Amino acid sequence: QVQLVQSGAEVKKPGASVKISCKASGNTLTRFAIHWMRQAPGESLEWMGWINTGNGLTAYSHRFTGRVTITRDASANTFYMSLNTLRSDDTAIYYCARDSASYLFDLWGQGTLVTVSS
Amino acid sequence: QSVLTQPPSVSGAPGQRVTISCTGSSSNIGAGYDVHWYQQRPGTAPKLLIYGNNDRPSGVPDRFSGSKSGASASLAITGLQAEDEADYYCQSYDNSLTGSGVFGGGTKLTVL
């Protein structure tokens, strides 16, 4: 049974960067992709990007181009999402999710709250 | 502003049937891409409820069903129960710009 376990909450100042991890426990995910989404307080979900767990290829939402980077440590079955030049409106819960069939998110991490405040 | 449009809220009494609509466009649902639905209870991560327009993952009651027609989709919940009170999100793929996952704005279901 695969689980996605994310790193803990972060508090950052405007202009800083944050890096969140998502570790897959159980079976490996080499046949899947990992996507990152976020959810601002009281808002809907927003797709940010994804990484191919096998070859490391990535794609990002145009809304975050230049600010977001998704990486992997294949040996540790761990995936990372970095967001730089943080603003107050980046305050949100960030989720990783497994893609089992072309943008079908069948397994989610528990979420990581990122608070951006001066 | 979400790419997919959902009603902000719906409500129903226990045992009743409710539906939640999800309207897209020619670059997402209308282009033939599948619609998936997620249930999110307060303080928890979204959970896959319906995939591929009308299929249920193992463990999801058959009270939940999905449908799709043209550029729109719907989620139906029959025999409403108190535990169904949650936020519901539709999701699809959009082939405009760089291509991306797109979500609806979410619908808050209240069980009266």
Side-chain angles (χ1 to χ4, degrees), chain B residues 20-32:
Chain B
I20 299 172
S21 61
C22 174
T23 303
S25 67
S26 59
S27 62
N28 43 69
I29 300 175

Side-chain angles (χ1 to χ4, degrees), chain A residues 92-115:
Chain A
I93 297 175
Y94 290 76
Y95 293 102
C96 63
R98 181 179 73 176
D99 178 351
S100 62
S102 187
Y103 288 81
L104 166 57
F105 310 129
D106 69 334
L107 181 67
W108 293 65
Q110 84 275 20
T112 297
L113 174 63
V114 175
T115 303

